[in-house]
PDB file of all heavy atoms in Angstrom:
ATOM      1  N   THR A   1     102.566 128.146 105.680  1.00  0.00           N
ATOM      2  CA  THR A   1     103.070 127.613 106.889  1.00  0.00           C
ATOM      3  C   THR A   1     104.112 126.468 106.591  1.00  0.00           C
ATOM      4  O   THR A   1     103.733 125.569 105.859  1.00  0.00           O
ATOM      5  CB  THR A   1     101.974 127.059 107.779  1.00  0.00           C
ATOM      6  OG1 THR A   1     101.076 128.160 107.984  1.00  0.00           O
ATOM      7  CG2 THR A   1     102.497 126.598 109.111  1.00  0.00           C
ATOM      8  N   PRO A   2     105.322 126.632 107.138  1.00  0.00           N
ATOM      9  CA  PRO A   2     106.279 125.452 106.856  1.00  0.00           C
ATOM     10  C   PRO A   2     105.799 124.205 107.528  1.00  0.00           C
ATOM     11  O   PRO A   2     105.157 124.199 108.526  1.00  0.00           O
ATOM     12  CB  PRO A   2     107.551 126.038 107.487  1.00  0.00           C
ATOM     13  CG  PRO A   2     107.188 127.214 108.339  1.00  0.00           C
ATOM     14  CD  PRO A   2     105.826 127.602 107.943  1.00  0.00           C
ATOM     15  N   ASP A   3     106.250 123.095 106.978  1.00  0.00           N
ATOM     16  CA  ASP A   3     106.001 121.767 107.496  1.00  0.00           C
ATOM     17  C   ASP A   3     104.558 121.356 107.496  1.00  0.00           C
ATOM     18  O   ASP A   3     104.155 120.391 108.234  1.00  0.00           O
ATOM     19  CB  ASP A   3     106.542 121.651 108.940  1.00  0.00           C
ATOM     20  CG  ASP A   3     108.042 121.935 108.980  1.00  0.00           C
ATOM     21  OD1 ASP A   3     108.802 121.517 107.983  1.00  0.00           O
ATOM     22  OD2 ASP A   3     108.543 122.436 109.973  1.00  0.00           O
ATOM     23  N   VAL A   4     103.772 121.909 106.614  1.00  0.00           N
ATOM     24  CA  VAL A   4     102.348 121.376 106.523  1.00  0.00           C
ATOM     25  C   VAL A   4     102.444 120.233 105.537  1.00  0.00           C
ATOM     26  O   VAL A   4     103.060 120.242 104.533  1.00  0.00           O
ATOM     27  CB  VAL A   4     101.443 122.513 105.924  1.00  0.00           C
ATOM     28  CG1 VAL A   4     100.063 121.908 105.476  1.00  0.00           C
ATOM     29  CG2 VAL A   4     101.255 123.634 106.921  1.00  0.00           C
ATOM     30  N   LEU A   5     101.788 119.141 105.953  1.00  0.00           N
ATOM     31  CA  LEU A   5     101.828 117.904 105.197  1.00  0.00           C
ATOM     32  C   LEU A   5     100.924 118.059 103.880  1.00  0.00           C
ATOM     33  O   LEU A   5      99.829 118.580 104.027  1.00  0.00           O
ATOM     34  CB  LEU A   5     101.224 116.750 105.970  1.00  0.00           C
ATOM     35  CG  LEU A   5     102.024 116.406 107.243  1.00  0.00           C
ATOM     36  CD1 LEU A   5     101.272 115.367 108.032  1.00  0.00           C
ATOM     37  CD2 LEU A   5     103.418 115.930 106.862  1.00  0.00           C
ATOM     38  N   THR A   6     101.485 117.745 102.742  1.00  0.00           N
ATOM     39  CA  THR A   6     100.789 117.816 101.505  1.00  0.00           C
ATOM     40  C   THR A   6     101.003 116.512 100.677  1.00  0.00           C
ATOM     41  O   THR A   6     101.898 115.699 100.949  1.00  0.00           O
ATOM     42  CB  THR A   6     101.287 119.027 100.642  1.00  0.00           C
ATOM     43  OG1 THR A   6     102.655 118.762 100.378  1.00  0.00           O
ATOM     44  CG2 THR A   6     101.117 120.274 101.336  1.00  0.00           C
ATOM     45  N   GLU A   7     100.089 116.335  99.779  1.00  0.00           N
ATOM     46  CA  GLU A   7     100.186 115.197  98.837  1.00  0.00           C
ATOM     47  C   GLU A   7      99.823 115.687  97.436  1.00  0.00           C
ATOM     48  O   GLU A   7      98.653 116.107  97.234  1.00  0.00           O
ATOM     49  CB  GLU A   7      99.270 114.024  99.252  1.00  0.00           C
ATOM     50  CG  GLU A   7      99.389 112.823  98.418  1.00  0.00           C
ATOM     51  CD  GLU A   7     100.682 112.031  98.625  1.00  0.00           C
ATOM     52  OE1 GLU A   7     101.173 112.044  99.805  1.00  0.00           O
ATOM     53  OE2 GLU A   7     101.143 111.414  97.691  1.00  0.00           O
ATOM     54  N   ALA A   8     100.774 115.688  96.560  1.00  0.00           N
ATOM     55  CA  ALA A   8     100.505 116.158  95.126  1.00  0.00           C
ATOM     56  C   ALA A   8      99.680 115.092  94.368  1.00  0.00           C
ATOM     57  O   ALA A   8     100.050 114.009  94.417  1.00  0.00           O
ATOM     58  CB  ALA A   8     101.805 116.465  94.421  1.00  0.00           C
ATOM     59  N   MET A   9      98.601 115.515  93.784  1.00  0.00           N
ATOM     60  CA  MET A   9      97.702 114.565  93.138  1.00  0.00           C
ATOM     61  C   MET A   9      98.115 114.433  91.720  1.00  0.00           C
ATOM     62  O   MET A   9      97.853 113.416  91.072  1.00  0.00           O
ATOM     63  CB  MET A   9      96.267 115.019  93.152  1.00  0.00           C
ATOM     64  CG  MET A   9      95.631 114.819  94.534  1.00  0.00           C
ATOM     65  SD  MET A   9      95.518 113.078  94.920  1.00  0.00           S
ATOM     66  CE  MET A   9      95.704 113.148  96.684  1.00  0.00           C
ATOM     67  N   GLY A  10      98.799 115.370  91.067  1.00  0.00           N
ATOM     68  CA  GLY A  10      99.167 115.241  89.671  1.00  0.00           C
ATOM     69  C   GLY A  10      97.930 115.206  88.730  1.00  0.00           C
ATOM     70  O   GLY A  10      98.045 114.599  87.714  1.00  0.00           O
ATOM     71  N   GLY A  11      96.861 115.806  89.090  1.00  0.00           N
ATOM     72  CA  GLY A  11      95.631 115.870  88.225  1.00  0.00           C
ATOM     73  C   GLY A  11      94.603 114.856  88.603  1.00  0.00           C
ATOM     74  O   GLY A  11      93.470 115.175  88.720  1.00  0.00           O
ATOM     75  N   VAL A  12      94.959 113.593  88.690  1.00  0.00           N
ATOM     76  CA  VAL A  12      93.980 112.532  88.917  1.00  0.00           C
ATOM     77  C   VAL A  12      94.351 111.762  90.221  1.00  0.00           C
ATOM     78  O   VAL A  12      95.331 111.178  90.266  1.00  0.00           O
ATOM     79  CB  VAL A  12      93.923 111.566  87.755  1.00  0.00           C
ATOM     80  CG1 VAL A  12      92.930 110.465  87.963  1.00  0.00           C
ATOM     81  CG2 VAL A  12      93.581 112.298  86.427  1.00  0.00           C
ATOM     82  N   PRO A  13      93.474 111.816  91.211  1.00  0.00           N
ATOM     83  CA  PRO A  13      93.729 111.110  92.453  1.00  0.00           C
ATOM     84  C   PRO A  13      93.585 109.603  92.211  1.00  0.00           C
ATOM     85  O   PRO A  13      92.712 109.217  91.397  1.00  0.00           O
ATOM     86  CB  PRO A  13      92.722 111.579  93.454  1.00  0.00           C
ATOM     87  CG  PRO A  13      91.614 112.125  92.561  1.00  0.00           C
ATOM     88  CD  PRO A  13      92.172 112.532  91.307  1.00  0.00           C
ATOM     89  N   ASP A  14      94.342 108.829  92.905  1.00  0.00           N
ATOM     90  CA  ASP A  14      94.232 107.362  92.856  1.00  0.00           C
ATOM     91  C   ASP A  14      94.221 106.862  94.307  1.00  0.00           C
ATOM     92  O   ASP A  14      94.466 107.578  95.256  1.00  0.00           O
ATOM     93  CB  ASP A  14      95.213 106.697  91.991  1.00  0.00           C
ATOM     94  CG  ASP A  14      96.648 106.902  92.419  1.00  0.00           C
ATOM     95  OD1 ASP A  14      96.835 107.147  93.594  1.00  0.00           O
ATOM     96  OD2 ASP A  14      97.508 106.739  91.568  1.00  0.00           O
ATOM     97  N   TYR A  15      93.928 105.597  94.433  1.00  0.00           N
ATOM     98  CA  TYR A  15      93.831 104.950  95.782  1.00  0.00           C
ATOM     99  C   TYR A  15      95.111 105.111  96.556  1.00  0.00           C
ATOM    100  O   TYR A  15      95.083 105.422  97.785  1.00  0.00           O
ATOM    101  CB  TYR A  15      93.397 103.510  95.683  1.00  0.00           C
ATOM    102  CG  TYR A  15      93.142 102.882  97.023  1.00  0.00           C
ATOM    103  CD1 TYR A  15      91.980 103.176  97.726  1.00  0.00           C
ATOM    104  CD2 TYR A  15      94.027 101.975  97.586  1.00  0.00           C
ATOM    105  CE1 TYR A  15      91.679 102.562  98.901  1.00  0.00           C
ATOM    106  CE2 TYR A  15      93.786 101.378  98.808  1.00  0.00           C
ATOM    107  CZ  TYR A  15      92.635 101.683  99.446  1.00  0.00           C
ATOM    108  OH  TYR A  15      92.430 101.133 100.687  1.00  0.00           O
ATOM    109  N   ALA A  16      96.221 104.905  95.936  1.00  0.00           N
ATOM    110  CA  ALA A  16      97.554 104.993  96.604  1.00  0.00           C
ATOM    111  C   ALA A  16      97.744 106.406  97.176  1.00  0.00           C
ATOM    112  O   ALA A  16      98.286 106.515  98.269  1.00  0.00           O
ATOM    113  CB  ALA A  16      98.648 104.553  95.640  1.00  0.00           C
ATOM    114  N   LYS A  17      97.485 107.450  96.386  1.00  0.00           N
ATOM    115  CA  LYS A  17      97.683 108.767  96.771  1.00  0.00           C
ATOM    116  C   LYS A  17      96.724 109.138  98.025  1.00  0.00           C
ATOM    117  O   LYS A  17      97.125 109.812  98.959  1.00  0.00           O
ATOM    118  CB  LYS A  17      97.501 109.740  95.655  1.00  0.00           C
ATOM    119  CG  LYS A  17      98.550 109.680  94.612  1.00  0.00           C
ATOM    120  CD  LYS A  17      98.288 110.572  93.418  1.00  0.00           C
ATOM    121  CE  LYS A  17      99.269 110.378  92.295  1.00  0.00           C
ATOM    122  NZ  LYS A  17      98.861 111.191  91.159  1.00  0.00           N
ATOM    123  N   LEU A  18      95.511 108.727  97.912  1.00  0.00           N
ATOM    124  CA  LEU A  18      94.524 109.009  99.024  1.00  0.00           C
ATOM    125  C   LEU A  18      94.933 108.312 100.273  1.00  0.00           C
ATOM    126  O   LEU A  18      94.856 108.923 101.373  1.00  0.00           O
ATOM    127  CB  LEU A  18      93.104 108.580  98.516  1.00  0.00           C
ATOM    128  CG  LEU A  18      92.579 109.405  97.344  1.00  0.00           C
ATOM    129  CD1 LEU A  18      91.245 108.833  96.895  1.00  0.00           C
ATOM    130  CD2 LEU A  18      92.386 110.891  97.753  1.00  0.00           C
ATOM    131  N   THR A  19      95.364 107.094 100.155  1.00  0.00           N
ATOM    132  CA  THR A  19      95.777 106.405 101.440  1.00  0.00           C
ATOM    133  C   THR A  19      97.072 107.022 101.899  1.00  0.00           C
ATOM    134  O   THR A  19      97.318 107.027 103.142  1.00  0.00           O
ATOM    135  CB  THR A  19      95.889 104.854 101.211  1.00  0.00           C
ATOM    136  OG1 THR A  19      96.794 104.641 100.115  1.00  0.00           O
ATOM    137  CG2 THR A  19      94.574 104.248 100.961  1.00  0.00           C
ATOM    138  N   SER A  20      97.931 107.480 101.031  1.00  0.00           N
ATOM    139  CA  SER A  20      99.177 108.112 101.429  1.00  0.00           C
ATOM    140  C   SER A  20      98.928 109.358 102.286  1.00  0.00           C
ATOM    141  O   SER A  20      99.581 109.617 103.294  1.00  0.00           O
ATOM    142  CB  SER A  20     100.061 108.447 100.265  1.00  0.00           C
ATOM    143  OG  SER A  20     101.179 109.147 100.696  1.00  0.00           O
ATOM    144  N   MET A  21      97.913 110.152 101.954  1.00  0.00           N
ATOM    145  CA  MET A  21      97.559 111.267 102.704  1.00  0.00           C
ATOM    146  C   MET A  21      97.143 110.945 104.124  1.00  0.00           C
ATOM    147  O   MET A  21      97.638 111.574 105.063  1.00  0.00           O
ATOM    148  CB  MET A  21      96.344 112.004 101.989  1.00  0.00           C
ATOM    149  CG  MET A  21      96.699 112.751 100.765  1.00  0.00           C
ATOM    150  SD  MET A  21      95.377 113.789 100.130  1.00  0.00           S
ATOM    151  CE  MET A  21      93.832 112.964 100.428  1.00  0.00           C
ATOM    152  N   SER A  22      96.289 109.953 104.299  1.00  0.00           N
ATOM    153  CA  SER A  22      95.907 109.534 105.596  1.00  0.00           C
ATOM    154  C   SER A  22      97.056 109.005 106.391  1.00  0.00           C
ATOM    155  O   SER A  22      97.160 109.255 107.634  1.00  0.00           O
ATOM    156  CB  SER A  22      94.772 108.435 105.543  1.00  0.00           C
ATOM    157  OG  SER A  22      93.662 108.915 104.827  1.00  0.00           O
ATOM    158  N   ALA A  23      98.001 108.230 105.741  1.00  0.00           N
ATOM    159  CA  ALA A  23      99.081 107.700 106.440  1.00  0.00           C
ATOM    160  C   ALA A  23     100.055 108.787 106.954  1.00  0.00           C
ATOM    161  O   ALA A  23     100.578 108.723 108.018  1.00  0.00           O
ATOM    162  CB  ALA A  23      99.849 106.702 105.484  1.00  0.00           C
ATOM    163  N   LYS A  24     100.256 109.794 106.137  1.00  0.00           N
ATOM    164  CA  LYS A  24     101.101 110.914 106.603  1.00  0.00           C
ATOM    165  C   LYS A  24     100.626 111.587 107.831  1.00  0.00           C
ATOM    166  O   LYS A  24     101.375 111.931 108.724  1.00  0.00           O
ATOM    167  CB  LYS A  24     101.264 111.983 105.398  1.00  0.00           C
ATOM    168  CG  LYS A  24     102.187 111.565 104.331  1.00  0.00           C
ATOM    169  CD  LYS A  24     102.297 112.704 103.289  1.00  0.00           C
ATOM    170  CE  LYS A  24     103.197 112.373 102.179  1.00  0.00           C
ATOM    171  NZ  LYS A  24     103.252 113.503 101.197  1.00  0.00           N
ATOM    172  N   VAL A  25      99.337 111.801 107.867  1.00  0.00           N
ATOM    173  CA  VAL A  25      98.708 112.530 109.071  1.00  0.00           C
ATOM    174  C   VAL A  25      98.838 111.601 110.233  1.00  0.00           C
ATOM    175  O   VAL A  25      99.213 112.074 111.294  1.00  0.00           O
ATOM    176  CB  VAL A  25      97.179 112.815 108.700  1.00  0.00           C
ATOM    177  CG1 VAL A  25      96.541 113.296 110.010  1.00  0.00           C
ATOM    178  CG2 VAL A  25      97.100 113.851 107.671  1.00  0.00           C
ATOM    179  N   ALA A  26      98.522 110.338 110.141  1.00  0.00           N
ATOM    180  CA  ALA A  26      98.677 109.399 111.226  1.00  0.00           C
ATOM    181  C   ALA A  26     100.061 109.256 111.715  1.00  0.00           C
ATOM    182  O   ALA A  26     100.356 109.181 112.904  1.00  0.00           O
ATOM    183  CB  ALA A  26      98.049 107.996 110.858  1.00  0.00           C
ATOM    184  N   ASP A  27     101.065 109.234 110.719  1.00  0.00           N
ATOM    185  CA  ASP A  27     102.480 109.102 111.122  1.00  0.00           C
ATOM    186  C   ASP A  27     102.928 110.360 111.837  1.00  0.00           C
ATOM    187  O   ASP A  27     103.866 110.208 112.739  1.00  0.00           O
ATOM    188  CB  ASP A  27     103.332 108.897 109.798  1.00  0.00           C
ATOM    189  CG  ASP A  27     104.724 108.574 110.163  1.00  0.00           C
ATOM    190  OD1 ASP A  27     104.950 107.592 110.929  1.00  0.00           O
ATOM    191  OD2 ASP A  27     105.599 109.227 109.625  1.00  0.00           O
ATOM    192  N   ALA A  28     102.399 111.486 111.598  1.00  0.00           N
ATOM    193  CA  ALA A  28     102.759 112.670 112.253  1.00  0.00           C
ATOM    194  C   ALA A  28     102.001 112.904 113.631  1.00  0.00           C
ATOM    195  O   ALA A  28     102.152 113.947 114.338  1.00  0.00           O
ATOM    196  CB  ALA A  28     102.588 113.912 111.418  1.00  0.00           C
ATOM    197  N   ASN A  29     101.300 111.914 114.011  1.00  0.00           N
ATOM    198  CA  ASN A  29     100.502 111.914 115.277  1.00  0.00           C
ATOM    199  C   ASN A  29      99.518 113.066 115.340  1.00  0.00           C
ATOM    200  O   ASN A  29      99.254 113.694 116.319  1.00  0.00           O
ATOM    201  CB  ASN A  29     101.360 111.948 116.558  1.00  0.00           C
ATOM    202  CG  ASN A  29     102.153 110.703 116.641  1.00  0.00           C
ATOM    203  OD1 ASN A  29     101.608 109.593 116.429  1.00  0.00           O
ATOM    204  ND2 ASN A  29     103.413 110.834 117.050  1.00  0.00           N
ATOM    205  N   ALA A  30      98.938 113.431 114.167  1.00  0.00           N
ATOM    206  CA  ALA A  30      98.049 114.658 114.033  1.00  0.00           C
ATOM    207  C   ALA A  30      96.692 114.281 114.538  1.00  0.00           C
ATOM    208  O   ALA A  30      95.929 115.154 114.871  1.00  0.00           O
ATOM    209  CB  ALA A  30      98.048 115.094 112.591  1.00  0.00           C
ATOM    210  N   LEU A  31      96.299 113.018 114.623  1.00  0.00           N
ATOM    211  CA  LEU A  31      94.965 112.610 115.089  1.00  0.00           C
ATOM    212  C   LEU A  31      95.086 112.143 116.524  1.00  0.00           C
ATOM    213  O   LEU A  31      95.168 110.903 116.734  1.00  0.00           O
ATOM    214  CB  LEU A  31      94.334 111.552 114.188  1.00  0.00           C
ATOM    215  CG  LEU A  31      93.973 111.990 112.765  1.00  0.00           C
ATOM    216  CD1 LEU A  31      93.536 110.805 111.941  1.00  0.00           C
ATOM    217  CD2 LEU A  31      92.957 113.112 112.822  1.00  0.00           C
ATOM    218  N   VAL A  32      95.118 113.027 117.433  1.00  0.00           N
ATOM    219  CA  VAL A  32      95.183 112.628 118.834  1.00  0.00           C
ATOM    220  C   VAL A  32      93.899 112.896 119.519  1.00  0.00           C
ATOM    221  O   VAL A  32      93.126 113.736 119.152  1.00  0.00           O
ATOM    222  CB  VAL A  32      96.356 113.380 119.579  1.00  0.00           C
ATOM    223  CG1 VAL A  32      97.675 113.015 119.018  1.00  0.00           C
ATOM    224  CG2 VAL A  32      96.164 114.871 119.454  1.00  0.00           C
ATOM    225  N   ASP A  33      93.615 112.066 120.559  1.00  0.00           N
ATOM    226  CA  ASP A  33      92.398 112.306 121.305  1.00  0.00           C
ATOM    227  C   ASP A  33      91.053 112.215 120.544  1.00  0.00           C
ATOM    228  O   ASP A  33      90.158 112.875 120.695  1.00  0.00           O
ATOM    229  CB  ASP A  33      92.399 113.590 122.077  1.00  0.00           C
ATOM    230  CG  ASP A  33      93.494 113.681 123.077  1.00  0.00           C
ATOM    231  OD1 ASP A  33      93.920 112.670 123.634  1.00  0.00           O
ATOM    232  OD2 ASP A  33      93.997 114.780 123.345  1.00  0.00           O
ATOM    233  N   GLY A  34      91.161 111.358 119.478  1.00  0.00           N
ATOM    234  CA  GLY A  34      89.895 111.088 118.707  1.00  0.00           C
ATOM    235  C   GLY A  34      89.504 112.235 117.827  1.00  0.00           C
ATOM    236  O   GLY A  34      88.305 112.368 117.562  1.00  0.00           O
ATOM    237  N   GLY A  35      90.459 113.113 117.388  1.00  0.00           N
ATOM    238  CA  GLY A  35      90.123 114.170 116.574  1.00  0.00           C
ATOM    239  C   GLY A  35      89.542 113.830 115.293  1.00  0.00           C
ATOM    240  O   GLY A  35      89.620 112.640 114.823  1.00  0.00           O
ATOM    241  N   SER A  36      88.942 114.742 114.588  1.00  0.00           N
ATOM    242  CA  SER A  36      88.325 114.439 113.331  1.00  0.00           C
ATOM    243  C   SER A  36      89.302 114.632 112.139  1.00  0.00           C
ATOM    244  O   SER A  36      90.258 115.323 112.289  1.00  0.00           O
ATOM    245  CB  SER A  36      87.070 115.285 113.098  1.00  0.00           C
ATOM    246  OG  SER A  36      87.416 116.630 113.020  1.00  0.00           O
ATOM    247  N   PHE A  37      88.990 114.009 111.016  1.00  0.00           N
ATOM    248  CA  PHE A  37      89.880 114.073 109.871  1.00  0.00           C
ATOM    249  C   PHE A  37      89.109 114.724 108.772  1.00  0.00           C
ATOM    250  O   PHE A  37      87.967 114.394 108.507  1.00  0.00           O
ATOM    251  CB  PHE A  37      90.278 112.644 109.534  1.00  0.00           C
ATOM    252  CG  PHE A  37      91.331 112.500 108.488  1.00  0.00           C
ATOM    253  CD1 PHE A  37      92.671 112.711 108.848  1.00  0.00           C
ATOM    254  CD2 PHE A  37      90.973 112.204 107.197  1.00  0.00           C
ATOM    255  CE1 PHE A  37      93.626 112.533 107.870  1.00  0.00           C
ATOM    256  CE2 PHE A  37      92.002 112.069 106.278  1.00  0.00           C
ATOM    257  CZ  PHE A  37      93.277 112.257 106.618  1.00  0.00           C
ATOM    258  N   GLY A  38      89.727 115.596 107.999  1.00  0.00           N
ATOM    259  CA  GLY A  38      89.070 116.270 106.911  1.00  0.00           C
ATOM    260  C   GLY A  38      90.097 116.567 105.811  1.00  0.00           C
ATOM    261  O   GLY A  38      91.284 116.366 106.005  1.00  0.00           O
ATOM    262  N   TYR A  39      89.549 116.955 104.638  1.00  0.00           N
ATOM    263  CA  TYR A  39      90.378 117.304 103.509  1.00  0.00           C
ATOM    264  C   TYR A  39      90.138 118.714 103.107  1.00  0.00           C
ATOM    265  O   TYR A  39      88.956 119.241 103.110  1.00  0.00           O
ATOM    266  CB  TYR A  39      90.069 116.381 102.362  1.00  0.00           C
ATOM    267  CG  TYR A  39      90.375 114.924 102.624  1.00  0.00           C
ATOM    268  CD1 TYR A  39      89.370 114.092 103.117  1.00  0.00           C
ATOM    269  CD2 TYR A  39      91.591 114.393 102.467  1.00  0.00           C
ATOM    270  CE1 TYR A  39      89.644 112.770 103.465  1.00  0.00           C
ATOM    271  CE2 TYR A  39      91.884 113.042 102.696  1.00  0.00           C
ATOM    272  CZ  TYR A  39      90.896 112.248 103.164  1.00  0.00           C
ATOM    273  OH  TYR A  39      91.120 110.916 103.404  1.00  0.00           O
ATOM    274  N   LEU A  40      91.165 119.371 102.597  1.00  0.00           N
ATOM    275  CA  LEU A  40      91.010 120.708 101.964  1.00  0.00           C
ATOM    276  C   LEU A  40      91.351 120.594 100.541  1.00  0.00           C
ATOM    277  O   LEU A  40      92.421 120.133 100.215  1.00  0.00           O
ATOM    278  CB  LEU A  40      91.960 121.734 102.680  1.00  0.00           C
ATOM    279  CG  LEU A  40      91.984 123.098 102.152  1.00  0.00           C
ATOM    280  CD1 LEU A  40      90.681 123.799 102.381  1.00  0.00           C
ATOM    281  CD2 LEU A  40      93.101 123.904 102.875  1.00  0.00           C
ATOM    282  N   THR A  41      90.442 121.019  99.669  1.00  0.00           N
ATOM    283  CA  THR A  41      90.681 120.767  98.259  1.00  0.00           C
ATOM    284  C   THR A  41      89.904 121.887  97.455  1.00  0.00           C
ATOM    285  O   THR A  41      89.082 122.584  98.060  1.00  0.00           O
ATOM    286  CB  THR A  41      90.287 119.407  97.792  1.00  0.00           C
ATOM    287  OG1 THR A  41      90.699 119.168  96.429  1.00  0.00           O
ATOM    288  CG2 THR A  41      88.790 119.117  97.927  1.00  0.00           C
ATOM    289  N   THR A  42      90.080 121.833  96.214  1.00  0.00           N
ATOM    290  CA  THR A  42      89.407 122.793  95.342  1.00  0.00           C
ATOM    291  C   THR A  42      88.017 122.105  94.930  1.00  0.00           C
ATOM    292  O   THR A  42      87.898 120.900  94.992  1.00  0.00           O
ATOM    293  CB  THR A  42      90.198 123.030  94.036  1.00  0.00           C
ATOM    294  OG1 THR A  42      90.359 121.858  93.294  1.00  0.00           O
ATOM    295  CG2 THR A  42      91.604 123.601  94.404  1.00  0.00           C
ATOM    296  N   PRO A  43      87.120 122.922  94.450  1.00  0.00           N
ATOM    297  CA  PRO A  43      85.887 122.308  94.007  1.00  0.00           C
ATOM    298  C   PRO A  43      86.025 121.395  92.856  1.00  0.00           C
ATOM    299  O   PRO A  43      85.348 120.292  92.792  1.00  0.00           O
ATOM    300  CB  PRO A  43      85.056 123.607  93.503  1.00  0.00           C
ATOM    301  CG  PRO A  43      85.598 124.711  94.319  1.00  0.00           C
ATOM    302  CD  PRO A  43      87.091 124.374  94.471  1.00  0.00           C
ATOM    303  N   LEU A  44      87.006 121.661  91.934  1.00  0.00           N
ATOM    304  CA  LEU A  44      87.208 120.739  90.807  1.00  0.00           C
ATOM    305  C   LEU A  44      87.797 119.347  91.336  1.00  0.00           C
ATOM    306  O   LEU A  44      87.323 118.312  90.782  1.00  0.00           O
ATOM    307  CB  LEU A  44      88.147 121.306  89.766  1.00  0.00           C
ATOM    308  CG  LEU A  44      87.574 122.511  88.960  1.00  0.00           C
ATOM    309  CD1 LEU A  44      88.606 123.065  88.073  1.00  0.00           C
ATOM    310  CD2 LEU A  44      86.348 122.123  88.268  1.00  0.00           C
ATOM    311  N   MET A  45      88.685 119.374  92.270  1.00  0.00           N
ATOM    312  CA  MET A  45      89.195 118.121  92.809  1.00  0.00           C
ATOM    313  C   MET A  45      88.163 117.430  93.591  1.00  0.00           C
ATOM    314  O   MET A  45      88.023 116.211  93.533  1.00  0.00           O
ATOM    315  CB  MET A  45      90.445 118.359  93.675  1.00  0.00           C
ATOM    316  CG  MET A  45      91.073 117.119  94.228  1.00  0.00           C
ATOM    317  SD  MET A  45      91.585 115.931  92.963  1.00  0.00           S
ATOM    318  CE  MET A  45      93.039 116.705  92.321  1.00  0.00           C
ATOM    319  N   ALA A  46      87.310 118.141  94.320  1.00  0.00           N
ATOM    320  CA  ALA A  46      86.190 117.531  95.046  1.00  0.00           C
ATOM    321  C   ALA A  46      85.273 116.809  94.046  1.00  0.00           C
ATOM    322  O   ALA A  46      84.790 115.647  94.335  1.00  0.00           O
ATOM    323  CB  ALA A  46      85.465 118.569  95.827  1.00  0.00           C
ATOM    324  N   GLY A  47      85.014 117.435  92.909  1.00  0.00           N
ATOM    325  CA  GLY A  47      84.200 116.762  91.894  1.00  0.00           C
ATOM    326  C   GLY A  47      84.787 115.468  91.338  1.00  0.00           C
ATOM    327  O   GLY A  47      84.176 114.449  91.194  1.00  0.00           O
ATOM    328  N   LYS A  48      86.166 115.503  91.163  1.00  0.00           N
ATOM    329  CA  LYS A  48      86.858 114.327  90.684  1.00  0.00           C
ATOM    330  C   LYS A  48      86.784 113.199  91.761  1.00  0.00           C
ATOM    331  O   LYS A  48      86.684 112.034  91.455  1.00  0.00           O
ATOM    332  CB  LYS A  48      88.352 114.619  90.449  1.00  0.00           C
ATOM    333  CG  LYS A  48      88.569 115.408  89.161  1.00  0.00           C
ATOM    334  CD  LYS A  48      89.992 115.707  88.976  1.00  0.00           C
ATOM    335  CE  LYS A  48      90.234 116.629  87.818  1.00  0.00           C
ATOM    336  NZ  LYS A  48      91.690 116.868  87.556  1.00  0.00           N
TER     337      LYS A  48
END
């Protein structure tokens, strides 16, 4: 799907990348009416 917000981790996530993900979603007004926020990742990244 075009225009889906993504954040490349480059192997190891850090605080700046994780906060950037949340900021992109909020900036796009994706959390309206108190919607929930979640992440889609691989099992290996979830472990990291």
Side-chain angles (χ1 to χ4, degrees):
T1 303
D3 300 325
V4 170
L5 299 172
T6 62
E7 183 72 33
M9 288 293 150
V12 179
D14 60 21
Y15 185 75
K17 291 176 185 175
L18 295 172
T19 55
S20 176
M21 287 189 326
S22 300
K24 283 182 180 180
V25 172
D27 189 51
N29 293 321
L31 293 176
V32 294
D33 297 330
S36 62
F37 189 80
Y39 298 92
L40 176 64
T41 187
T42 65
L44 291 176
M45 182 58 74
K48 289 178 184 180

